[in-house]
Amino acid sequence: MNTSRMIKIAVILAGTATAITGTTSIAFAGNDPTSGRIQQRQAQAQQQYHECAGFALRVYRAALEQAGTNSAKRRAAENHYHGNLGRCRNQYL
């Protein structure tokens, strides 16, 4: 057997072992009563992030509409939008 084939086999076996141990730890976490609460909090935080990001997008669109063809105002609106998204991400994710 050449070396490259042995390396390929070792990588496949290592990947399979990692996948098996990863799924068993997830299965054990499913029986944990706190995992449901953690998942619920994560889902709620993600929903709040999407609401915040949606609001930031509405504000951005309104600012673009007000800016018209003024490139400086459009750039400022884009910078504010990215800042608002960053704040949403920091607060909820």
Side-chain angles (χ1 to χ4, degrees):
M1 224 186 263
N2 60 13
T3 308
S4 65
R5 186 171 177 165
M6 289 175 30
I7 291 173
K8 286 179 188 177
I9 292 172
V11 168
I12 291 172
L13 290 176
T16 306
T18 304
I20 290 172
T21 58
T23 55
T24 56
S25 63
I26 291 171
F28 288 128
N31 296 333
D32 184 16
T34 59
S35 67
R37 289 190 295 254
I38 291 170
Q39 289 174 351
Q40 184 180 13
R41 266 188 251 124
Q42 288 172 343
Q44 183 181 9
Q46 191 170 19
Q47 179 186 6
Q48 288 174 329
Y49 167 76
H50 285 296
E51 289 173 7
C52 183
F55 178 72
L57 183 60
R58 288 192 301 274
V59 169
Y60 175 60
R61 286 181 180 159
L64 285 180
E65 188 176 317
Q66 285 183 351
T69 59
N70 188 336
S71 63
K73 287 184 179 180
R74 293 177 78 81
R75 256 192 323 273
E78 186 175 350
N79 288 335
H80 284 288
Y81 172 66
H82 288 294
N84 287 338
L85 276 183
R87 282 185 282 281
C88 291
R89 201 176 302 113
N90 288 338
Q91 186 171 359
Y92 297 113
L93 296 183

